[in-house]
Amino acid sequence: MRVVCSFIERTSKAVCQKTSRVYSSFQDCPRYSKALVLLTVSGGGFLAYSGAKSFFGPDSSLQDDRKRVIVLGTGWAGTTFLKNLDSTQYDVKVISPRNYFAFTPLLPSVTVGTVEARSIVEPIRNIIKKKLGNVGFLEAECYEIDAKNKKVHCRSTQKTGLEGKEEFIVDYDYLVVATGARANTFNTPGVEEHTHFLKEIEDAQNIRRNVIDCFERANLPNLSDEERKNNLHFVVVGGGPTGVEFAAELHDFLEEDLSRLYPQVKDFVKITLVEAADHILNMFDKRITAFAEEKFQRDGIDVKLGSMVVKVNDKAISTKERSTGLVQHIPYGMVVWSTGIGTRPFITNFMKKIGQGNRRVLATDEWLRVEGEDCDGIYALGDCATINQRKVMDDIAAIFKKADKDNSGTLTVKKLQEVMEDICERYPQVKLYLKNKRMKNIVALLEESKGDDNKESKEFDIERVKTALSAVDSQMKNLPPTAQVAAQQGQYLAKCFNRMKECDQNPEGPLRIRDEGRHRFHPFRYRHLGQFAPLGGEQTAAQLPGDLVSIGHSSQWLWYSVYASKQVSWRNRLLVISDWGKRFVHGRDSSRL
Amino acid sequence: MRVVCSFIERTSKAVCQKTSRVYSSFQDCPRYSKALVLLTVSGGGFLAYSGAKSFFGPDSSLQDDRKRVIVLGTGWAGTTFLKNLDSTQYDVKVISPRNYFAFTPLLPSVTVGTVEARSIVEPIRNIIKKKLGNVGFLEAECYEIDAKNKKVHCRSTQKTGLEGKEEFIVDYDYLVVATGARANTFNTPGVEEHTHFLKEIEDAQNIRRNVIDCFERANLPNLSDEERKNNLHFVVVGGGPTGVEFAAELHDFLEEDLSRLYPQVKDFVKITLVEAADHILNMFDKRITAFAEEKFQRDGIDVKLGSMVVKVNDKAISTKERSTGLVQHIPYGMVVWSTGIGTRPFITNFMKKIGQGNRRVLATDEWLRVEGEDCDGIYALGDCATINQRKVMDDIAAIFKKADKDNSGTLTVKKLQEVMEDICERYPQVKLYLKNKRMKNIVALLEESKGDDNKESKEFDIERVKTALSAVDSQMKNLPPTAQVAAQQGQYLAKCFNRMKECDQNPEGPLRIRDEGRHRFHPFRYRHLGQFAPLGGEQTAAQLPGDLVSIGHSSQWLWYSVYASKQVSWRNRLLVISDWGKRFVHGRDSSRL
């Protein structure tokens, strides 16, 4: 049905495109009206008249009363924000070196051709096309944020055709930083030069090409068996979900396709998974970890636990066993590096300027607003930032004061109950703590040490409250750098932007603790919907909400349906599903493209 | 149906792979039998025992009584040869830097994403997998043919992992040279550096990426309208089928997709087609040429006829009008160069060594055997060679002698009729000439100038025959460098190889004119099945056999069905068709991948 729609849409859009453009720009600035006459007469004239700047330039739509929103990045956070934003309220510009959104959870599948690269990408302009109002895209990377003057400095990533015009500056009223993270090498020598990361589509394509290269090399004459073995030794560094899924996908590729196409060398193939911790998938339930390790052992994937990579050169990778300190030099054909994420350089510089120089990751408050000087109007979400949850202990006095309306110096249960809800919303760790302690509210916590007498009249002084809440902050955890978190943040922030005006009048958030009145919005709250770990051979481990664990073929089908449904467009959905079908019928393509 | 088959095939092959391997290698050389026991016990042991050389090395299967066939190239000629060859009769090794076959007629569609690159390629190992006997593939390029010692010198195209083992030598009994041609720059300065060719899959992918780059560049702020225009000026050099089809595809891409995605810059776009001759598609019927030129004019494609490119630099392309000598420097965003083919360097060297140094293209006889010293057992087909058809005038004496069995010095009609068929087969230009003159046989030609009296007794002397046949050789034409020719040659040569033994005993070819007996095989004869020129907007011009011409939407559908049916595998067929469907529903993908 939707397919048909999109088809009709395409044809109809073709007709009404120009008129709608005219309409929107007419709203933007009446002074164009003259130009519009030209436009309606002959398309070409318009730009010639109004010139480039008014369309793209730094001072774009200054005459517009609508606020200018700049979105940096077209990943999960940025794209979800854009999709959910009511773009008629703002003048939106998206800036990213990638003119497409990529469904990153399927990257491991792309590395071996289970899914084609183009099936999991959606041109950002296809999304923009469907938005009303004034939304634009610029293919460039931001290299500096000038928070003081509310400007971002950008540079095109293109090599030719822009002599001296690569760089430009764009003004903003609101800046949404969603540039994601880069692979983290922990400054291990040789990693940048000799290993493959698995963060971008290009990485996946390179890996795919390289796997075939390794096989073609090993298949050439006058190599010794030793050299064939080395060329067909695939090393995966990092036992997280990505590394594990890649190892599994690679193993399936070898078993199901390459072993039949390269019969002479298939017995030289070896996969090694190197993990510094004591177990792979250690963010998952123990049962999953155990199952994964057993399955990999059965599959002949050599899992080296508790050993870290200390050096990589063009021929060998050097690992060091944490327990024994033993260093090994292992010859390899290809190394894939997937050991977590690091901060991008331009974010690090930005952090220094706004007084976050001492931090490792850019910090925001619970409303995704960047903390620091001049950061008013700057939001950060996705992998490039973490939420810096306020500690109860830092605010304890203010909390007490807020609750103790009559400044009696003590709190009654009644007083407490009035602010209870706000406190729990403002400090989610309180709720978590109570939940773990199986208590229904703070009162229970305060009473913990005491017998049960008349509640209403009972009073607690600040010391009592302090001791009761002292352990609460231990509950705080950073959110994992996953697509799920980024998408939820993007959606949340878009909702806030859509209701900005309305919530300015009547705030809906919790009480301000160190201040008067209420917060404008509810703080961001992450809802974990579960996580998958595909283990190959049509088996997947799924950790679902409520510590439910499901392992095997059934969860593989759950995985298929979830990943198909999560695609950003029907186009992607159909492509991905047909790719899965193709693979079942014809196997994966082994052409070296 | 076939899909199901191939599915069953996959699963069953998985089971019987090993056994069949064992069987074939058992036939190859009994001395392996010991190893085979090992193999049947555990796969790994085999190679470890028999070592690498015996599998891949120069001396591969020397103990084998079967002749060693080396096929250079995996293009149309090489792949069709391989597919049709009875590989149980020979020990076959395919050597090519590309481990896949590409359906080149669809390359222009790949440049804009009408069809995906992977849809038109088939891994050569998928084809080999289906062949019986001992067939292998080596990913390397041949850089020297040592005809004297029957060896080819090869080099892997890979950069890493082969320290000092890149080069190797392979022996052959029969060498099939099907390495295709390279783009011809006519030594125009700057072409290699600044233009895109359109011969390989990678070329098409680069062009696709570059088209999007041009649009993203033109869309950036602080460019002048002039600079936007230049960045969006696409120049196509060469008005042959490829150049014309690319221009048409590009125009459709802009009209149907990009104009909606880049509304601000769409009016700056311009396509220019530069052709040195007076018309585009000049190998086609006049009606087609005229239609194409009109359509391009309507589409706003600027066709510059009679002007040749004299220089290209990083910003502008310089053209020179043949008539006026006027030189123009045209700024461009992208140039695609498609002006015919040139000979590969290693072929040129080979030609020097075998005494063809004075020729531009490698010459073969009508049986596709390379002419020259030590060239026994070397065949060349496809774009890398041309058939050097023997002239009647060179052999006229021999022909006369052959016909004049009793050495009477004159020929009677009866004598002539006996050798008539052989002569016509050996010298096809004779048949052509008669056809054009609307005569039914040579006799008619000889009688041309004479009255009609008693045929049987009439006699002609050699002078008479000479004058009659003097104009015949003017009919000779070289075959066009098309996929169709290459494929027919591959098929023909495979048939010859399959019937080699049988035809050694009883030759089936025409009488040897300058020698005794008959030729082993019929000479290669090309059957032209027609040619397409897609002109965009779902319109195609088709030149069919018998000078039939069809232009418009109907022939577009003919084009679809022919190109779908000509795919080398069902996999490709399904992919290509689904790509066409995708494009109709979702349009083409504009992600910069």
Side-chain angles (χ1 to χ4, degrees), chain B residues 47 78 90 120 198 216 228 287 319 365 387 389 399 410 442 445 454 498 509 519 532 547 555 565:
Chain B
L47 277 166
Y90 299 94
I120 66 165
L198 187 40
E216 291 297 357
R228 294 185 206 287
R287 288 163 288 177
T319 62
D365 63 15
I387 295 173
Q389 174 63 48
I399 295 171
T410 58
I442 297 186
L445 188 61
N454 174 4
N498 297 346
H519 288 280
F532 288 104
D547 285 341
S555 28
S565 65

Side-chain angles (χ1 to χ4, degrees), chain B residues 259-398:
Chain B
S259 59
R260 269 204 299 290
L261 297 175
Y262 300 82
Q264 294 96 327
V265 297
K266 68 172 195 297
D267 302 309
F268 293 116
V269 179
K270 185 183 172 200
I271 302 176
T272 304
L273 178 59
V274 182
E275 166 59 48
D278 300 337
H279 289 290
I280 59 173
L281 297 178
N282 40 33
M283 71 290 300
F284 280 83
D285 184 286
K286 298 257 164 305
R287 288 163 288 177
I288 291 179
T289 304
F291 180 87
E293 286 172 356
E294 279 163 27
K295 182 174 188 310
F296 276 12
Q297 197 170 22
R298 282 200 307 279
D299 291 346
I301 297 174
D302 178 12
V303 181
K304 289 169 73 71
L305 295 170
S307 58
M308 45 201 291
V309 176
V310 290
K311 191 163 134 293
V312 185
N313 66 28
D314 58 343
K315 287 190 195 56
I317 177 167
S318 312
T319 62
K320 181 178 186 183
E321 258 181 47
R322 282 222 327 284
S323 52
T324 63
L326 172 74
V327 174
Q328 275 182 299
H329 305 291
I330 316 163
Y332 67 84
M334 182 173 96
V335 176
V336 170
W337 189 272
S338 150
T339 60
I341 60 171
T343 309
R344 294 190 186 277
F346 93 95
I347 294 280
T348 320
N349 298 338
F350 174 57
M351 287 164 69
K352 289 201 190 93
K353 286 200 293 181
I354 61 171
Q356 287 196 25
N358 54 341
R359 293 185 52 92
R360 267 182 49 258
V361 188
L362 182 64
T364 72
D365 63 15
E366 298 85 341
W367 290 267
L368 308 183
R369 296 174 300 197
V370 173
E371 300 176 329
E373 311 149 19
D374 314 311
C375 285
D376 155 49
I378 304 183
Y379 300 77
L381 48 164
D383 291 0
C384 70
T386 53
I387 295 173
N388 187 16
Q389 174 63 48
R390 270 201 79 79
K391 295 201 179 62
V392 171
M393 280 303 120
D394 300 352
D395 298 348
I396 191 68

Side-chain angles (χ1 to χ4, degrees), chain B residues 514-535:
Chain B
R514 283 152 298 144
D515 206 341
E516 283 319 299
R518 302 193 147 271
H519 288 280
R520 207 159 33 155
F521 305 109
H522 296 292
F524 170 72
R525 193 72 68 245
Y526 171 60
R527 294 188 52 252
H528 185 61
L529 303 174
Q531 194 172 5
F532 288 104
L535 302 172

Side-chain angles (χ1 to χ4, degrees), chain B residues 180-188 191-192 195-200 203 236-244 274-276 282-283 336-344 360-361 383 480-482:
Chain B
R182 58 177 184 75
N184 193 349
T185 67
F186 303 102
N187 303 321
T188 315
V191 172
E192 287 283 356
T195 74
H196 294 270
F197 298 133
L198 187 40
K199 284 204 65 63
E200 305 289 340
D203 299 335
V236 184
V237 183
T242 312
V244 166
V274 182
E275 166 59 48
N282 40 33
M283 71 290 300
V336 170
W337 189 272
S338 150
T339 60
I341 60 171
T343 309
R344 294 190 186 277
R360 267 182 49 258
V361 188
D383 291 0
T482 62

Side-chain angles (χ1 to χ4, degrees), chain A residues 469-482:
Chain A
L469 296 176
S470 53
V472 165
D473 291 323
S474 64
Q475 296 297 319
M476 299 195 306
K477 266 204 231 75
N478 282 343
L479 296 173
T482 62

